[in-house]
Amino acid sequence: VSGNLLVGQDITHAGDADTKITFGDDAIGFTAGGEQLLTISEAGTDMVTVGDGGDVDFRVRTNNDDNTLYVVGSTDRVGIGLNGPATTLHLKDSDVTIRLQRDDNSEAGTIEFAGAGGAIGASIAHDVVGNDLVFDVFNGSAIEESLRLGGYGSGTNRQVIVLSGTTMHAGAMQPRESADIAFFVSGTIRSTNT
C-alpha cells in the first residue's frame, strides 16, 4: 500500500476471524482468539486498557526478569518478580525491599490500614520530627498513637515508647508527663544500666 490505508472498522487476520484490529470513534481495539486484549482510546481521557473485563493476564518483561510485573486476571492479584502471586500484592526477589521516599523532608511517609468502608484503623508513619517511627491504632472512637521508636535523628537518647491511656500527644511522651503511660524505655545505643 502506498499512501493511506482507509479502513471502515476491522482489519481481520485471514482464516482467523476472531483475531483482528477494530477501529472505533477515537478508539482502537486489538483482539486475539475472541478476547479483546488491548484498547487504546481518547474520549475525554486518554486511556490504554489491558483486557476487556475477562480473564486476561498482563505481563511486563525486562532484561533480567520475565515477570517484572504480572497481573493475574482470574484473581485480580499483582506479582512483582513472579507470575503466581499469593496475595493482592506479592513481591519476590533475591533481596526484596520496598521504599517510600518523600519529595521533601518536611513531609511524613505513611502506610495506612483501612476497613471496608475506607476508615483508617491503623497507620505506621515516618514522622517529620526526629525521624521517629510512629504506630497509630483505632481506640474505638479515634486514631491514637500507641508506639513510637524515637530519638534517632535528633541526637537525643534513642527511645522506645509504648503509650496507653487517653489523649496521648507529643507533650505526654515522658513518664513524668503522664501517669498512665504503660511502658517507657530509653537509653544510649550499646549502653547498659541506663
Side-chain angles (χ1 to χ4, degrees), residues 29-117:
F30 296 85
T31 301
E35 187 83 42
Q36 187 157 328
L37 300 177
L38 185 65
T39 304
I40 302 169
S41 63
E42 194 292 308
T45 301
D46 299 338
M47 180 76 66
V48 176
T49 304
V50 176
D52 59 1
D55 181 7
V56 175
D57 293 355
F58 174 74
R59 176 169 60 179
V60 175
R61 296 174 70 181
T62 57
N63 193 37
N64 297 309
D65 195 337
D66 284 342
N67 302 300
T68 299
L69 177 65
Y70 199 100
V71 180
V72 181
S74 61
T75 61
D76 303 325
R77 293 179 175 171
V78 177
I80 297 177
L82 74 164
N83 63 3
T87 57
T88 304
L89 177 62
H90 186 160
L91 286 72
K92 180 183 178 187
D93 201 350
S94 57
D95 189 13
V96 178
T97 301
I98 297 174
R99 175 178 287 193
L100 304 178
Q101 183 172 347
R102 302 176 289 195
D103 282 335
D104 188 287
N105 284 340
S106 66
E107 302 166 343
T110 305
I111 300 172
E112 294 179 341
F113 303 89

